[in-house]
């Protein structure tokens, strides 16, 4: 909505450990005006790709931090394009930020003030790679766009409805009381988008679902009556499915075995977080497309990587179908879930007796669609996720209250 004097724009910023992704929305959150990514923050070279209307610009500069990144993106929004998406930064009424960890404190999106910033800071130990980057983006936006309201949208918030038996680990209670050891869940912005979108598509306001977000990071979520009741990710985004470089589930005793065998803790962490997953198994790449190409070309390690990836998804699918029973739909999303008909086929193979029947030709199609046959008692959908849109909508809702 425009307020009559200046057009109201909402900027969505997603600061990762070395990148800033952004999207500028107009008319509340219903129109995308510009989209871009700045990669290489903190490194030697910064690459900025920006698209507005039919204009695409790519630039490279040397070193840069989040402040410079945000300042560059604001510059791009006012200068690149004919006409550029905005003429004055003051047109940006609000900035919606993706914040990875909201801990126990945030169960929904919130307007950012000093107390919120302090609370996000206090959660840094739980998300040491992500929350500091998110905060750097928040600080940069407050400084460079002082007239814009800030809104934090948390990746953990969708899981605030998990019951204690789903979020507690069976460990000494003191670990939970003193150290906050529990499952928090991540990718909640994506899973919530998928659940809300599925509710519309199924014409059922509170559906039972299994949502599978399969990208570089991957997670599964069980949804009952429209609310999250379980998730594959844990206290950190390391637990659960096999990911690009993350191991997912592992017997914690492996860590003691390796420590006692003389491997330094830092190397074990590196192996589980950065050198595991598809990369670890294939010995070649964290990128699913590349790994599956190598598997098709006959590389046995790559084949094992694909098989393990699929096997782990099926494990969670089985478990979460039970939690979401009677399940209205299984939803695939994320770079792999959306684009790989092969993965969907492998995940769903032989599940007709569970009521999941894939339509081969719909499975090979594109875009948002149902890919199950009329015989399938549980729907199967591909839904391209849109985390930025959800952030923009929450931001618009909060600043209009
Ligand atoms: P991120 O978590 O970084 O947003 P994405 O959701 O973009 O990640 O997913 C990236 C993954 O999707 C990569 O492993 C990539 O290889 C995979 N991918 C993208 N397109 C395809 C495709 N057409 N077929 C198979 N995998 C794909």
């Amino acid at each position: 909505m425009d307020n009559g004097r200046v057009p109201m724009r909402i900027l969505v910023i997603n600061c990762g450990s070395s990148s800033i992704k952004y999207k500028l929305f107009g008319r509340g959150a219903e129109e995308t005006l510009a989209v871009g990514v700045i990669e290489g923050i903190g490194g030697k070279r910064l690459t900025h790709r920006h698209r507005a209307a039919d204009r695409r610009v790519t630039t490279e500069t040397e070193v840069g931090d989040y402040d410079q990144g945000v300042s560059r993106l604001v510059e791009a929004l006012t200068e690149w394009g004919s006409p550029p998406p905005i003429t004055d930064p003051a047109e940006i009424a609000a900035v919606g930020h993706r914040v990875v960890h909201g801990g126990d404190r945030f169960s929904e999106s919130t307007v950012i003030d000093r107390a919120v910033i302090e609370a996000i800071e206090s959660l840094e130990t739980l998300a040491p790679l992500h929350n500091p980057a998110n905060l750097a983006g928040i600080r940069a936006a407050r400084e460079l766009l002082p007239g814009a309201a800030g809104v934090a949208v948390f990746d953990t918030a969708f899981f605030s409805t998990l019951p204690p038996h789903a979020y507690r680990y069976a460990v000494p209670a003191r670990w939970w009381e003193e150290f906050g050891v529990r499952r928090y869940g991540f990718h909640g912005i994506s899973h919530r988008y998928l659940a809300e979108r599925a509710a519309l598509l199924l014409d059922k306001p509170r559906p039972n679902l299994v949502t599978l977000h399969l990208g570089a990071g991957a997670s599964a979520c069980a949804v009952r009556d429209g609310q999250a009741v379980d998730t594959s990710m844990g206290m950190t985004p390391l637990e659960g499915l096999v990911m690009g470089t993350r191991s997912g589930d592992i017997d914690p005793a492996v860590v003691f075995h390796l420590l006692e065998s003389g491997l330094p803790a830092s190397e074990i962490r590196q192996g589980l977080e950065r050198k595991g997953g598809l990369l670890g198994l294939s010995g070649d790449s964290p990128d699913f497309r590349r790994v599956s190409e190598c598997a098709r070309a006959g590389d046995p390690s790559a084949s094992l990587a694909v098989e393990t990836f699929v096997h782990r998804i099926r494990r969670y699918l089985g478990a979460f179908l039970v939690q979401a029973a009677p399940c209205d739909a299984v939803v695939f999303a994320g770079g792999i879930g959306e684009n790989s008909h092969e993965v969907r086929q492998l995940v769903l193979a032989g599940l007709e007796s569970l009521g999941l029947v894939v339509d081969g030709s719909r499975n090979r199609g594109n875009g948002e669609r149902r890919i199950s046959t009329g015989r399938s008692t549980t729907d199967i959908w591909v839904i391209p996720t849109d985390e930025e849109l959800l952030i923009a909508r929450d931001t618009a809702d909060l600043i209009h209250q």
Side-chain angles (χ1 to χ4, degrees), residues 192-207 209 368 379 381 383 389 393:
R192 190 181 130 207
Y193 175 86
L194 299 173
E196 290 179 2
R197 186 75 197 143
L200 282 177
L201 294 166
L202 299 169
D203 196 19
K204 188 169 180 183
R206 298 165 67 79
L209 307 165
E368 183 179 86
D379 268 14
W381 280 82
I383 301 182
L389 180 59
R393 283 182 179 157

Side-chain angles (χ1 to χ4, degrees), residues 74 85 289:
V74 172
R289 211 168 356 180

Side-chain angles (χ1 to χ4, degrees), residues 21 187 213-217 278 286-290 292 334-336 339-340:
K21 291 184 190 158
H187 284 159
H213 177 104
L214 311 174
L278 295 173
D287 189 88
F288 184 82
R289 211 168 356 180
R290 162 140 182 107
S292 64
I336 305 168
N339 295 305
S340 174

Side-chain angles (χ1 to χ4, degrees), residues 212 214 288 292 296 306 309-310 313-314 332 336-349 363:
L212 299 167
L214 311 174
F288 184 82
S292 64
R296 274 196 295 277
V306 173
F309 179 75
V310 168
I313 297 168
R314 283 169 66 92
F332 285 85
I336 305 168
E338 194 185 317
N339 295 305
S340 174
H341 61 85
E342 185 195 2
V343 162
R344 293 190 299 266
Q345 190 64 51
L346 290 168
V347 166
L348 297 163
N363 187 31

Side-chain angles (χ1 to χ4, degrees), residues 101 104 126 169 173-184 235:
H101 218 309
D104 289 322
L126 289 172
Y169 293 108
R174 180 173 165 239
W175 296 7
W176 141 253
E177 287 150 9
E178 280 183 37
F179 306 112
V181 171
R182 55 159 286 183
R183 187 190 301 283
Y184 292 98
M235 176 160 146

Side-chain angles (χ1 to χ4, degrees), residues 134-157:
N134 303 154
L135 274 170
I138 289 173
R139 291 199 180 100
R142 279 165 75 88
E143 201 178 303
L144 293 159
L145 299 166
V151 168
V153 180
F154 298 93
D155 228 9
T156 45

Side-chain angles (χ1 to χ4, degrees), residues 312-337:
R312 191 78 57 84
I313 297 168
R314 283 169 66 92
R315 245 189 189 182
Y316 274 94
L317 175 60
F320 286 2
L321 279 171
V322 171
Q323 304 214 36
C327 183
D328 297 303
V330 173
V331 178
F332 285 85
I336 305 168

